[in-house]
């Protein structure tokens, strides 16, 4: 704090001295002889109050909020505005006060005031730009001395400019850019911050050979996000890089709410998806800044939500997890250690109701993001009791603890397998959704600040534990075969980061627009837009080719048959869920909930507890068949159907007596 005060004082002193110099030099340049002497004689009277006014104007235009090291065009614009206000003040003083009352002529004059305006901008802006230039030059020289890896940068100009700035600033280390390859023809032959654009991606082999002939052999390729867009043919780029034997890294963090560009190994899954949805980051920053968040940290989703909450300005994050290694892993993450937010962790199992209530109510969060679940379909088909204990009873504990703690919202991470479920995973998650929706309806009638309880459904997450992509990569590394359950099996996929950002977007809508919406527009079930479903067989073939092999000839694909609890495709909305439009929200769909009344739900929960205690699977499935529409309805449509807005509840649905959400 003391150091910051000292630096601010130095900047203020400089700017006031520059102001005094601008006034004196204006007189010296503009006037001569007696006119100059008369004005210099009046300076002790005029200059002190003018400097006081100048200091207030500079503070008003926030000239001391930015470090000179990062002076920019925005800072220069602030200087121009401040100098203009001071020049206008001189003009008013000259015309209204001085000329009429004291001298009978203009003390400054229009030409002198214009000259002052130019000098003032030059002194204030020139010093800042000169300081930045010196710092940048020293940083570039330091980076050049430390750069040991001759590198080609791949991508469009805007991305490459940010990357080169990061290299010069030292946040991306060791890279020595030797050239740029851009997919845009109009950028070829140009220079970006002194680095030449040597061609396009098809010129990779030629450019590498030319640089090697000049004694600058390329040792690394770095791809910006624009180089991995589908229109840039990233598959071909990866094949070329492997043919040349050059490691290819990608730039992470550009436009992702991260602290700055970072390098990460290029994984095959980075090339498998459609372009991700553009996230409204200002919305998420406004939603999370200063808030207190509780989430898990052991799974792929929970750990990423921790990172995103910190990135978007949460004041405090509590990581609640039953796994000590997982908890230690997320709390040791570099982004968590460097975060300004207060991030703490606690060992707790959501099955333990008393412990869950104790932890969450003591922390008093604004938002609870419930991602804990058992989700591997084959295991839950076999160990059905464990799925009910975690996915149903544990979810009830977290939801009721969030309400008891007075949280603004609870977000329950669900799955597309919850609609017309055929597995224990799907039916347990659907039942947990229904409980949350019943609690949300009860909360809606509270007079002040009720807790919103919503469910967010999405499909498979690339790279998560148990995802098909790591399994295929391991099988390819062993030489095959790559095992696919069924040739027509299709699934939705998205990245972990995109899923978490859209979950937070849904939460912001639930606590914002949906909270104030009329009953007919109150959303409580959100579904992430995951693009077109992907055939798993096609995914396997593409991964084999990206690894440099030919499917069928070098790596076999073996079909093993669908496992218990699996179906060929997933469904996004239930037939009886009325859709809700979300104006201005991209990447998320929503529906009003349909659920049983609280008394019936409590009776079903009691029956489930008895079935689990007795090990009676038939009794548990009887409860699910009574509670969940179309559970294991083999005749229900499966072709990825999305119901039209306003679909009603079928008369013969097993969920007899269901009531729509209240409020």
């Amino acid at each position: 704090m003391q150091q910051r005060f000292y630096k601010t004082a130095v900047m203020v002193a400089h700017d006031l001295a520059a102001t005094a110099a601008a006034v004196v030099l204006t007189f010296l340049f503009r006037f001569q002889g007696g006119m100059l002497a008369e004005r210099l004689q009046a300076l002790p009277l005029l200059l002190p109050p003018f400097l006081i006014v100048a200091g207030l104007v500079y503070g008003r235009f926030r000239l001391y909020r930015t470090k000179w090291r990062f002076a920019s065009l925005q800072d220069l614009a602030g200087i121009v505005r401040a100098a203009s206000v001071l020049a206008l003040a001189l003009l008013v003083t000259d015309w209204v006060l001085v000329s009429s009352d004291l001298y009978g002529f203009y003390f400054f004059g229009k030409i002198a005031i214009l000259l002052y305006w130019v000098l003032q901008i030059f002194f204030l802006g020139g010093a800042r730009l000169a300081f930045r230039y010196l710092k940048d030059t020293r940083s570039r020289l330091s980076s050049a001395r430390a750069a040991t890896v001759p590198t080609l940068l791949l991508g469009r100009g805007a991305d490459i400019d940010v990357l080169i700035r990061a290299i010069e600033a030292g946040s991306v280390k060791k890279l020595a850019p030797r050239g740029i390859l851009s997919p845009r023809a109009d950028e070829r032959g140009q220079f970006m911050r002194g680095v030449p654009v040597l061609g396009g991606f098809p010129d990779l082999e030629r450019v590498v050979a030319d640089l090697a002939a000049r004694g600058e052999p390329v040792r690394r390729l770095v791809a910006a996000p624009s180089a991995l867009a589908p229109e840039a043919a990233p598959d071909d780029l990866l094949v070329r890089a492997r043919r040349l034997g050059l490691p290819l890294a990608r730039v992470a963090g550009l436009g992702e709410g991260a602290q700055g560009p970072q390098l990460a190994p290029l994984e095959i899954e980075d090339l498998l998806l459609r372009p991700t949805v553009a996230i409204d980051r200002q919305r998420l920053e406004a939603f999370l800044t200063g808030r207190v968040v509780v989430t898990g940290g052991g799974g792929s989703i929970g750990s990423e939500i921790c990172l995103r909450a910190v990135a978007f300005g949460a004041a405090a994050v509590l990581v609640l997890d039953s796994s000590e290694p997982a908890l230690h892993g997320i709390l040791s993450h570099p982004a968590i250690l460097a975060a300004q937010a207060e991030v703490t962790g606690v060992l707790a199992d959501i099955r333990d109701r008393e412990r869950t209530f104790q932890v969450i109510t003591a922390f008093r969060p604004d938002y609870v993001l419930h991602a804990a679940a058992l989700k591997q379909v084959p295991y839950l088909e076999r160990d059905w009791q464990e799925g009910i204990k975690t996915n149903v009873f544990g979810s009830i504990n977290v939801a009721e603890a969030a309400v008891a703690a007075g949280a603004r919202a609870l977000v329950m991470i669900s799955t597309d397998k919850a609609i017309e479920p055929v597995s224990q995973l799907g039916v347990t998650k659907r039942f947990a959704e229904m409980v949350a929706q019943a609690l949300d309806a009860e909360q809606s009638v509270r007079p002040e600040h009720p807790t919103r309880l919503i469910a967010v459904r999405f499909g498979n997450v690339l790279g998560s534990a148990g995802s098909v992509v790591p399994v295929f990569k391991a099988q390819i590394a062993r030489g095959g075969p790559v095992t696919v359950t069924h040739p027509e099996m299709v699934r939705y996929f998205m990245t972990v980061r995109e899923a978490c950002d859209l979950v937070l977007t849904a939460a912001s809508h639930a606590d914002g627009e949906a909270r104030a919406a009329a009953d007919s527009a109150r959303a409580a079930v959100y579904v992430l837009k995951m693009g077109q479903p992907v055939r798993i067989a096609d995914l396997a073939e593409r991964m084999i080719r990206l690894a440099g092999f030919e499917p069928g000839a070098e790596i076999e694909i073996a079909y093993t048959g669908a496992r218990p609890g699996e179906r060929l495709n997933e469904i996004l909305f239930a037939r009886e869920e009325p859709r809700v439009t979300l104006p201005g929200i991209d990447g998320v769909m929503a529906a009003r909930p349909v659920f049983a009344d609280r008394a019936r739900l409590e009776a079903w929960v009691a029956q489930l507890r008895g079935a689990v205690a007795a090990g009676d699977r038939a009794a548990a499935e009887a409860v699910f068949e009574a509670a969940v529409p179309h559970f294991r309805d083999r005749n229900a449509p499966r072709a990825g159907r999305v119901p039209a807005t306003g679909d009603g509840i079928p008369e013969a649905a097993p969920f007899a007596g269901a009531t729509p959400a209240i409020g």
Side-chain angles (χ1 to χ4, degrees):
M1 181 64 71
Q2 185 176 3
Q3 185 180 15
R4 180 180 177 182
F5 175 80
Y6 171 76
K7 290 182 177 180
T8 302
V10 170
M11 288 191 290
V12 171
H14 167 272
D15 289 352
L16 295 182
T19 303
V23 172
V24 172
L25 287 176
T26 296
F27 289 159
L28 293 175
F29 290 159
R30 178 69 180 92
F31 303 107
Q32 296 178 354
M35 296 178 67
L36 174 61
E38 187 176 20
R39 283 161 176 78
L40 292 178
Q41 186 178 2
L43 268 181
L45 177 65
L46 297 176
L47 194 57
F50 183 69
L51 292 180
I52 293 174
V53 172
L56 295 175
V57 170
Y58 298 152
R60 174 65 180 82
F61 286 98
R62 301 181 178 182
L63 299 194
Y64 310 119
R65 295 289 184 91
T66 304
K67 293 183 178 181
W68 286 17
R69 171 68 179 84
F70 305 107
S72 64
L73 290 177
Q74 288 183 337
D75 299 306
L76 184 59
I79 289 172
V80 171
R81 288 193 292 268
S84 300
V85 169
L86 292 176
L88 182 62
L90 288 178
L91 187 64
V92 171
T93 302
D94 204 25
W95 282 31
V96 176
L97 301 178
V98 177
S99 62
S100 60
D101 295 339
L102 296 180
Y103 294 96
F105 61 88
Y106 296 122
F107 186 80
F108 297 98
K110 290 181 287 186
I111 295 177
I113 291 174
L114 179 62
L115 180 60
Y116 159 78
W117 181 76
V118 173
L119 289 173
Q120 188 68 81
I121 293 172
F122 175 77
F123 285 141
L124 295 181
R128 286 164 167 81
L129 294 178
F131 185 84
R132 173 169 178 172
Y133 175 78
L134 292 174
K135 284 288 188 178
D136 284 351
T137 300
R138 188 171 70 176
S139 178
R140 282 195 296 269
L141 292 174
S142 176
S143 298
R145 287 192 297 268
T148 57
V149 183
T151 304
L152 272 181
L153 309 180
L154 314 174
R156 294 183 178 179
D159 286 352
I160 297 300
D161 179 73
V162 175
L163 177 57
I164 296 177
R165 288 176 184 271
I167 293 172
E168 292 174 351
S171 57
V172 176
K173 303 181 184 299
K174 303 296 184 182
L175 299 186
R178 294 291 182 258
I180 300 167
L181 298 183
S182 172
R184 296 187 55 166
D186 60 343
E187 293 179 346
R188 295 168 195 173
Q190 299 180 352
F191 283 78
M192 297 182 186
R193 301 187 68 82
V195 182
V197 181
L198 302 176
F201 297 163
D203 303 315
L204 178 61
E205 290 89 344
R206 175 187 62 78
V207 170
V208 169
D210 290 347
L211 289 173
R214 299 197 322 237
E216 298 179 330
V218 174
R219 290 169 48 196
R220 192 172 192 182
L221 306 176
V222 175
S226 55
L228 303 180
E231 59 270 19
D235 292 21
D236 180 65
L237 181 62
L238 180 60
V239 170
R240 290 173 182 270
R242 286 179 171 170
R243 192 160 51 230
L244 292 170
L246 294 174
L248 179 58
R250 67 181 179 90
V251 181
L254 288 181
E256 297 179 354
Q259 296 179 347
Q262 302 168 351
L263 297 188
L266 181 66
E267 302 290 349
I268 290 177
E269 50 262 46
D270 295 320
L271 308 179
L272 296 178
L273 291 173
R274 82 278 188 257
T276 56
V277 174
I279 302 300
D280 187 346
R281 308 198 182 282
Q282 291 183 341
R283 179 188 183 93
L284 295 187
E285 288 175 356
F287 171 60
L288 283 173
T289 297
R291 296 297 190 180
V292 179
V293 177
V294 171
T295 185
S300 305
I301 297 297
S303 59
E304 185 65 23
I305 284 177
C306 292
L307 300 177
R308 304 312 283 158
V310 165
F312 288 120
V317 177
L318 175 66
V319 186
L320 188 156
D321 208 281
S322 62
S323 169
E324 183 184 36
L327 186 63
H328 176 73
I330 186 59
L331 294 179
S332 303
H333 193 285
I336 297 298
L337 295 176
Q340 295 182 351
E342 179 185 350
V343 183
T344 55
V346 62
L347 284 171
D349 191 332
I350 61 170
R351 297 182 179 191
D352 185 336
R353 182 177 178 84
E354 183 178 351
R355 173 70 168 155
T356 301
F357 266 72
Q358 177 190 42
V359 170
I360 294 179
T361 55
F363 198 65
R364 301 196 64 79
D366 294 302
Y367 302 110
V368 178
L369 299 157
H370 171 42
L374 298 178
K375 62 181 182 179
Q376 293 301 318
V377 171
Y379 299 154
L380 293 186
E381 290 302 305
R382 182 190 65 194
D383 303 323
W384 61 274
Q385 293 157 292
E386 302 306 306
I388 294 175
K389 290 177 185 177
T390 297
N391 297 355
V392 176
F393 302 155
S395 296
I396 293 173
N397 293 341
V398 173
E400 293 183 347
V403 172
R408 292 185 60 86
L410 170 121
V411 182
M412 182 177 295
I413 306 298
S414 189
T415 171
D416 51 8
K417 296 174 176 61
I419 303 307
E420 298 181 12
V422 296
S423 65
Q424 288 293 311
L425 168 62
V427 77
T428 53
K429 296 299 284 185
R430 181 70 186 103
F431 193 92
E433 285 183 10
M434 293 164 55
V435 173
Q437 291 162 11
L439 285 172
D440 184 66
E442 287 186 355
Q443 289 290 301
S444 67
V445 299
R446 287 179 52 190
E448 294 183 1
H449 306 298
T451 301
R452 291 292 335 267
L453 295 98
I454 67 167
V456 179
R457 300 176 190 144
F458 54 90
N460 295 269
V461 175
L462 284 175
S464 64
S467 169
V468 68
V469 172
V471 174
F472 284 176
K473 288 172 67 175
Q475 291 174 338
I476 293 170
R478 292 197 304 266
V482 173
T483 57
V484 177
T485 55
H486 192 283
E488 299 303 321
M489 185 77 69
V490 296
R491 290 292 183 267
Y492 293 99
F493 287 98
M494 64 195 328
T495 65
V496 176
R497 174 158 292 183
E498 183 183 17
C500 292
D501 283 348
L502 291 177
V503 165
L504 294 174
T505 300
S508 71
H509 182 271
D511 190 36
E513 295 93 329
R515 182 184 289 275
D519 293 356
S520 60
R522 184 180 174 89
V525 178
Y526 293 80
V527 177
L528 306 189
K529 294 180 182 177
M530 294 167 283
Q532 294 299 316
V534 177
R535 289 181 69 248
I536 302 300
D538 293 343
L539 179 67
E541 290 182 2
R542 189 177 179 198
M543 288 187 63
I544 292 170
R545 289 194 176 94
L546 287 173
F549 301 101
E550 186 62 29
E554 297 175 279
I555 301 287
E556 294 290 336
I557 297 179
Y559 295 100
T560 60
R563 299 173 296 181
E566 283 189 330
R567 60 188 178 196
L568 296 185
N569 58 277
E570 305 299 351
I571 304 169
L572 301 182
F573 287 102
R575 281 173 281 182
E576 63 272 8
E577 286 180 324
R579 297 281 295 278
V580 174
T581 59
L582 304 180
I585 305 292
D586 192 18
V588 182
M589 303 175 287
R592 294 187 66 216
V594 177
F595 54 88
D597 59 77
R598 184 68 182 276
R600 180 170 296 189
L601 280 169
E602 288 179 349
W604 282 331
V605 170
Q607 293 172 30
L608 282 177
R609 293 188 188 279
V612 169
D616 189 344
R617 180 168 187 166
E621 296 206 349
V623 173
F624 289 140
E625 288 171 358
V628 178
H630 316 298
F631 175 44
R632 288 185 172 158
D633 181 359
R634 302 294 181 180
N635 297 319
R638 296 278 183 250
R641 169 189 46 75
V642 177
T645 302
D647 281 357
I649 305 172
E651 290 184 7
F655 192 36
T659 56
I662 303 171

